[in-house]
Structure formats: structure tokens, C-alpha cells
Amino acid sequence: MKDDETVRQAKRALDRLGAEGGLSATPVMKSAANGVRDHFAASDADKTDKIEVWGTRIARGLAVVALVGLLFWLFRQISR
């Protein structure tokens, strides 16, 4: 009998957490997506210096292009 009550309490707690969004990975994913967006938008650069902002954005975009190119090259080397 005591085990049944424990199971019911656990189920209620899980249902409550699910309703509140505590079991979802969405907040973590939103935080990570916002971090990536802020990084590529150069939000850490000096907003008064437009050249620095655009230079940072361009450099970070080129870094992504270089990463994709290197991954493509690595995949082709491994698959031979």
C-alpha cells in the first residue's frame, strides 16, 4: 500500500513538472540558440564602432565557411 502511494506521488510530481515545463530541454536549447545568435551578430563588439561590428560578423562568418570546408575535406579523406 505504501509503495502505491509513493508511485502516485511520483506520478503527480512528474505531471506537475511536465506542465510547468521543467522536463523540457527547450529552455536550454533556446539559451544555446540565443548564445549562437549573439555570437554571430557580434553583440560583444563595441556598438559605437560600426567597422568593428561588421568586421567581427564577417570574420565569424568566414570561420564557419572554413569549418564547413575543412569538415568536407576531412570527410572526403576518411571515405577514400
Side-chain angles (χ1 to χ4, degrees):
M1 288 298 217
K2 190 171 186 177
D3 289 334
D4 292 337
E5 179 62 28
T6 305
V7 169
R8 281 193 294 262
Q9 286 178 352
K11 285 183 181 181
R12 281 195 302 267
L14 287 172
D15 289 340
R16 187 175 62 248
L17 280 173
E20 295 172 356
L23 295 177
S24 175
T26 303
V28 174
M29 293 173 62
K30 281 184 183 179
S31 175
N34 287 339
V36 170
R37 183 196 64 218
D38 291 344
H39 179 74
F40 284 102
S43 64
D44 57 337
D46 183 14
K47 297 295 181 198
T48 60
D49 187 0
K50 298 294 184 186
I51 294 174
E52 181 182 354
V53 171
W54 279 103
T56 303
R57 289 176 181 169
I58 291 168
R60 290 178 181 172
L62 288 174
V64 169
V65 171
L67 175 67
V68 169
L70 286 172
L71 289 174
F72 179 73
W73 175 80
L74 179 63
F75 178 73
R76 289 197 42 147
Q77 292 297 319
I78 291 173
S79 64
R80 286 185 183 183

